[in-house]
Amino acid sequence: MNVLFDNFALFRQGFFGTLSLTGASAVLALLLGVLIAAFRVSPVPPLRAFGTLWVTLLRNTPLTLLFLVATFIVPEVVATGLSSYQLAVLALGFYTSAFVCEAVRSGVNTVPLGQAEAARSIGMTFSQILRLIILPQAARTVIAPIGSLMIALTKNSAIAGAFSVTELFSTQKLLSDEGFNLTVIFIWIALAYLIITFAISGLFRLLENRLAVAR
């Protein structure tokens, strides 16, 4: 216990760093994922091609390589002036958005095609059909898969600790470098991750129950 209490400020900083990083990346991933999913089912060929390229490229790129690109190449090419934290959010958000896109697209495919055709017959546009008819129904089937993706995102955020971002993994590295018992440090770090992942799991289970269709 003394490892936790003597370094509580560091643990707290790392915990909230992971929480903040996960939350910001999740929002970005969800927004981009839904947008790219809309591109992939769009009747416009260039949008479909862009969506396919986005998913194919990001799903087949190792996340560590994406962090390397975001940290060392993007600032040199674009000169954005973004902090390490912001670059980590972009890397995690972009990477996870590809998986969110495929989860949303699979949900869209569960909606009967006749509903979209009926909507088109009364003059609704593609964006109206997607927003008012398809996505609300698809959301009920994709909550569980997206919940799993958010838990994976939480664990993936540990990579950011190797790129000068304050979170749980960087806290573990700092304490181990100072000579504290490595096993004890990992126990407390693992418990912190469990708290976050259990909270995410509970939240999505609650959403799934509230949106479930009675059969």
Side-chain angles (χ1 to χ4, degrees), residues 30 33-34 37-38 99-109 135 138 142 146:
L30 290 171
V34 172
F99 297 90
V100 171
C101 167
E102 291 302 275
V104 172
R105 190 168 71 94
S106 68
V108 168
N109 290 336
L135 287 180
V142 302
I146 288 180

Side-chain angles (χ1 to χ4, degrees), residues 16-209:
F16 284 110
T18 294
L19 205 60
S20 172
L21 186 60
T22 300
S25 303
V27 171
L28 179 61
L30 290 171
L31 292 175
L32 280 176
V34 172
L35 179 62
I36 300 300
F39 285 0
R40 294 213 65 187
V41 299
S42 169
V44 182
L47 292 181
R48 289 202 306 273
F50 178 82
T52 300
L53 178 63
W54 180 281
V55 171
T56 302
L57 182 63
L58 290 174
R59 287 184 71 184
N60 292 286
T61 301
L63 182 54
T64 304
L65 178 58
L66 204 58
F67 264 95
L68 289 170
V69 171
T71 303
F72 298 110
I73 297 178
V74 171
E76 294 293 331
V77 175
V78 185
T80 58
L82 297 176
S83 66
S84 297
Y85 171 84
Q86 292 168 324
L87 290 171
V89 168
L90 290 177
L92 285 167
F94 280 29
Y95 179 78
T96 309
S97 71
F99 297 90
V100 171
C101 167
E102 291 302 275
V104 172
R105 190 168 71 94
S106 68
V108 168
N109 290 336
T110 64
V111 180
L113 183 61
Q115 296 193 23
E117 293 175 345
R120 279 196 297 269
S121 70
I122 61 174
M124 294 181 70
T125 64
F126 172 74
S127 61
Q128 289 174 323
I129 295 171
L130 197 65
R131 179 169 49 89
L132 300 176
I133 296 175
I134 305 297
L135 287 180
Q137 297 182 73
R140 292 170 174 167
T141 63
V142 302
I143 289 177
I146 288 180
S148 298
L149 290 174
M150 295 303 104
I151 291 174
L153 170 60
T154 304
K155 293 181 284 187
N156 287 340
S157 68
I159 297 177
F163 293 89
S164 304
V165 178
T166 300
E167 48 80 58
L168 286 169
F169 180 78
S170 65
T171 300
Q172 171 269 320
K173 187 175 183 301
L174 179 62
L175 292 176
S176 62
D177 288 344
E178 292 181 1
F180 288 96
N181 188 301
L182 190 60
T183 302
V184 176
I185 296 171
F186 271 118
I187 289 174
W188 288 118
I189 295 297
L191 286 174
Y193 275 112
L194 283 174
I195 290 171
I196 298 174
T197 55
F198 279 154
I200 294 173
S201 177
L203 174 62
F204 277 87
R205 190 177 299 113
L206 178 63
L207 288 173
E208 189 175 10
N209 292 335

